[in-house]
Amino acid sequence: MSADELEYDVIVVGAGNAAACAAISARNNGARVLMLEAAPETERGGNSTYTAGAMRYAFNGVEDVLSLVPDVDADTLALTDFGSYTVDQFFDDMFRVTQYRTDPVLCELLVRNSLPALQWMRKQGVRFQTSHGRQAYKVNGRFQFWGGLSVEVWGGGPGLVDMLLSSAEKKGIRILYETAAISLIKDNDGVRGVRISQRGQERDLHCKAVVLACGGFESSAEMRARYLGPNWDLAKVRGTRFNNGQGIRMALDIGARPHGHWSGAHAVGWDLNAPAFGDLAVGDAFQKHSYPFGILVNARGERFVDEGADFRNYTYAKYGSAVLEQPNQFAWQVFDAKVSHLLRDEYRIRQVTKVTADSLEALVAQMDGVDATGFLATVDRFNRAVRQDVQFNPNVKDGRSAETSPVRKSNWAQTIDTAPFEAYAVTCGVTFTFGGLKINGSGAVEDMTGRPIPGLFAAGELVGGLFYHNYPGGTGLTSGAVFGKIAGEGAAEFVASRATLPAA
Ligand SMILES: Cc1cc2nc3c(=O)[nH]c(=O)nc-3n(C[C@H](O)[C@H](O)[C@H](O)COP(=O)(O)OP(=O)(O)OC[C@H]3O[C@@H](n4cnc5c(N)ncnc54)[C@H](O)[C@@H]3O)c2cc1C
């Protein structure tokens, strides 16, 4: 046996947010921990690195926000209404957006542990800041937060991964890069280790417990087509190229139980000309999330979703698949000068597929692939349907609707009539997949009979059952933190119990 094989109690597969939280939590509970990362060090951290670091948690008011960001300056505080986002509101959002399918046990753990998990992360060295830039509009001189998100990690996803992994390393946790787990080693007493491929060389690493935290199958075109359906192989991947479903597959191979929405995925409107996988230099800025203030048209020039159905946090994750269903899998977002100041920073990056014009006719002439007659008729019908008796307010669901067929616009409808006009081309960008493994309340992976597989734990994207159809923004990182911490504790406790058993 090599030194590697003898040294560690717990092997954590992955080095994103869920894996780092699991590793730190297992270490804090006394286990000797090794992390395996398929990516080279320069691409470490999986999808977690690509995020803006927005994290959803239940809070009762400004005191809870300050428990995460104690250094908000007095002037900013005086001008800000953080409001609250209660445990009940978080439950309501999870049930509503998942069409009442979220696993009640997992959802309860997620919601109730959300604030404590972020407070725990802070103790592990993660710094937070308020999300004034993305989650609050200034109306009448005051910032008002909306949509249940109030904080993000300092430095976004790269900051999160750096802070967590440097904290892990300070605690003596070793990370092996360019080392992919390819299968699990199991005997009659459960999981005993991992077979790895390290720069093409395969070998076995033994341990007492394994935590799988190595993402979903979003980066595998083959698995997307197989489970999500036709044309999903054509979607662009917003994040890492390393989440190929290997963790899910190796668990299923030893009898783990699949759980959740296997034909569902989080997918957004993403720049039509973005690369096939995420680009860390651009991060999440290929997304185009200001569509609630404009309209979205397909190749026929027709609208196909209610752009103002809800706050963007509650619709963006399902509108990518709506774009995928359109002819040639693209759409254009169209805005006029009345709302251009509301467009998020991502609309002003250099790598953007954008056209502008002083007339709608000149605009559509540049909107590649769009039927001009259909588009002009759509805008005309839309403009005539916009309610003029309700004031536009981006901070609330203002009820300023347009009663159009076949889809209405429920909020924030404004006529598109003021030059200059702008249009942005998007396609479907897949973020992560919803189907995965069934875990119990201790983070242990269950077998087909519902019993925990001894020594196997899981956290993060590859846990199934939380999200169906849709997703409330900022919940992925919180899920990774909550279930990573639980899985780390569960694995450490299992190691301690295994140590007290007679040797096999
Ligand atoms: C562009 C973008 C923006 C996002 N913005 C947000 C946001 O602001 N807030 C939010 O909450 N969520 C956001 N998300 C979703 C969020 O990224 C995920 O929900 C979360 O990061 C998943 O964490 P994870 O640890 O489970 O997976 P990951 O962070 O993807 O980590 C998985 C790790 O496993 C590694 N790996 C894969 N296979 C193997 C293997 N066989 N062996 C060893 N290692 C392996 C990968 O290299 C990676 O390090 C965003 C996602 C993207 C792509």
Side-chain angles (χ1 to χ4, degrees):
M1 281 189 185
S2 76
D4 280 345
E5 290 173 83
L6 292 171
E7 228 174 316
Y8 301 101
D9 300 313
V10 175
I11 292 180
V12 176
V13 183
N17 173 58
C21 289
I24 291 170
S25 157
R27 181 75 199 106
N28 289 353
N29 284 279
R32 295 161 302 178
V33 182
L34 174 70
M35 296 176 76
L36 307 179
E37 168 59 294
E41 189 167 356
T42 48
E43 290 180 79
R44 70 181 186 175
N47 280 343
S48 304
T49 315
Y50 288 82
T51 70
M55 293 188 73
R56 182 170 293 261
Y57 67 102
F59 63 98
N60 286 320
V62 68
E63 293 74 24
D64 287 340
V65 178
L66 291 176
S67 75
L68 299 171
V69 196
D71 46 3
V72 187
D73 68 81
D75 290 347
T76 307
L77 263 188
L79 284 178
T80 305
D81 297 325
F82 285 103
S84 61
Y85 182 65
T86 62
V87 158
D88 284 349
Q89 285 172 297
F90 199 167
F91 277 125
D92 285 348
D93 282 343
M94 282 296 292
F95 288 122
R96 183 172 49 86
V97 305
T98 64
Q99 301 179 19
Y100 301 90
R101 286 179 185 274
T102 184
D103 180 316
V105 173
L106 299 183
C107 184
E108 174 105 23
L109 284 168
L110 171 76
V111 170
R112 295 205 186 279
N113 288 304
S114 58
L115 174 61
L118 270 68
Q119 289 167 333
W120 175 84
M121 288 171 90
R122 194 165 180 277
K123 283 205 193 100
Q124 311 313 316
V126 174
R127 291 288 163 262
F128 294 96
Q129 60 187 0
T130 57
S131 292
H132 276 80
R134 288 185 173 222
Q135 288 300 142
Y137 295 110
K138 202 171 186 181
V139 173
N140 299 330
R142 292 188 67 75
F143 288 102
Q144 194 181 337
F145 275 79
W146 50 269
L149 291 175
S150 56
V151 305
E152 61 199 37
V153 177
W154 187 270
L160 170 70
V161 169
D162 284 350
M163 288 186 275
L164 281 176
L165 293 184
S166 75
S167 166
E169 280 167 338
K170 276 190 205 129
K171 288 174 187 282
I173 296 168
R174 190 168 161 216
I175 308 168
L176 297 182
Y177 292 102
E178 294 180 74
T179 305
I182 53 176
S183 59
L184 291 164
I185 301 163
K186 178 177 176 284
D187 62 20
N188 285 336
D189 292 324
V191 171
R192 296 285 189 176
V194 178
R195 182 152 188 86
I196 60 166
S197 170
Q198 192 172 41
R199 296 176 199 98
Q201 299 297 304
E202 289 188 18
R203 66 190 167 107
D204 291 345
L205 292 182
H206 292 280
C207 60
K208 297 181 184 129
V210 172
V211 180
L212 295 174
C214 48
F217 58 85
E218 59 274 0
S219 314
S220 161
E222 184 268 338
M223 285 183 81
R224 288 201 308 273
R226 180 149 33 134
Y227 295 110
L228 305 183
N231 288 335
W232 277 94
D233 41 346
L234 304 179
K236 294 191 190 268
V237 178
R238 297 178 66 203
T240 178
R241 61 194 168 99
F242 290 95
N243 289 358
N244 289 306
Q246 190 74 36
I248 295 176
R249 271 205 267 226
M250 66 179 109
L252 296 184
D253 283 349
I254 62 154
R257 184 171 166 199
H259 190 44
H261 193 187
W262 275 73
S263 59
H266 179 306
V268 310
W270 191 247
D271 193 285
L272 183 64
N273 292 308
F277 294 97
D279 174 352
L280 275 175
V282 179
D284 66 357
F286 286 120
Q287 68 199 11
K288 296 290 168 270
H289 283 354
S290 296
Y291 56 84
F293 304 129
I295 61 168
L296 213 65
V297 296
N298 63 15
R300 293 188 291 268
E302 292 166 353
R303 290 178 51 241
F304 54 94
V305 291
D306 178 351
E307 302 88 346
D310 205 332
F311 287 118
R312 175 257 307 162
N313 294 350
Y314 303 111
T315 58
Y316 77 110
K318 62 179 181 179
Y319 282 178
S321 48
V323 172
L324 191 84
E325 286 162 13
Q326 302 312 305
N328 294 326
Q329 297 77 48
F330 75 86
W332 286 83
Q333 299 180 359
V334 181
F335 306 95
D336 80 353
K338 292 197 296 301
V339 295
S340 52
H341 66 287
L342 290 173
L343 301 190
R344 292 158 53 106
D345 291 347
E346 67 228 23
Y347 286 77
R348 289 179 283 279
I349 63 168
R350 195 166 48 80
Q351 307 88 333
V352 68
T353 308
K354 169 186 181 182
V355 296
T356 58
D358 284 333
S359 73
L360 288 166
E361 289 76 8
L363 188 77
V364 70
Q366 302 172 73
M367 288 162 56
D368 278 351
V370 177
D371 177 70
T373 312
F375 171 73
L376 293 171
T378 294
V379 175
D380 182 54
R381 268 199 310 278
F382 179 79
N383 282 350
R384 281 189 281 113
V386 171
R387 280 184 73 163
Q388 299 297 339
D389 57 331
V390 179
Q391 201 177 348
F392 173 80
N393 182 350
N395 278 326
V396 295
K397 287 201 256 178
D398 62 7
R400 192 180 155 100
S401 62
E403 296 306 328
T404 38
S405 173
V407 280
R408 71 196 292 258
K409 182 167 180 183
S410 303
N411 295 286
W412 311 297
Q414 301 248 52
T415 50
I416 299 172
D417 56 9
T418 308
F421 302 97
E422 300 177 1
Y424 298 82
V426 293
T427 185
C428 172
V430 64
T431 318
F432 65 91
T433 43
F434 291 157
L437 306 175
K438 174 85 172 73
I439 58 166
N440 68 14
S442 309
V445 176
E446 292 182 4
D447 68 14
M448 295 302 281
T449 67
R451 274 197 296 264
I453 297 175
L456 187 62
F457 297 81
E461 276 178 9
L462 52 57
V463 168
L466 272 171
F467 309 117
Y468 292 77
H469 300 294
N470 193 9
Y471 155 103
T475 315
L477 291 175
T478 304
S479 159
V482 167
F483 292 103
K485 180 169 178 290
I486 289 174
E489 285 161 4
E493 199 176 307
F494 180 84
V495 165
S497 74
R498 211 165 224 186
T500 61
L501 292 173

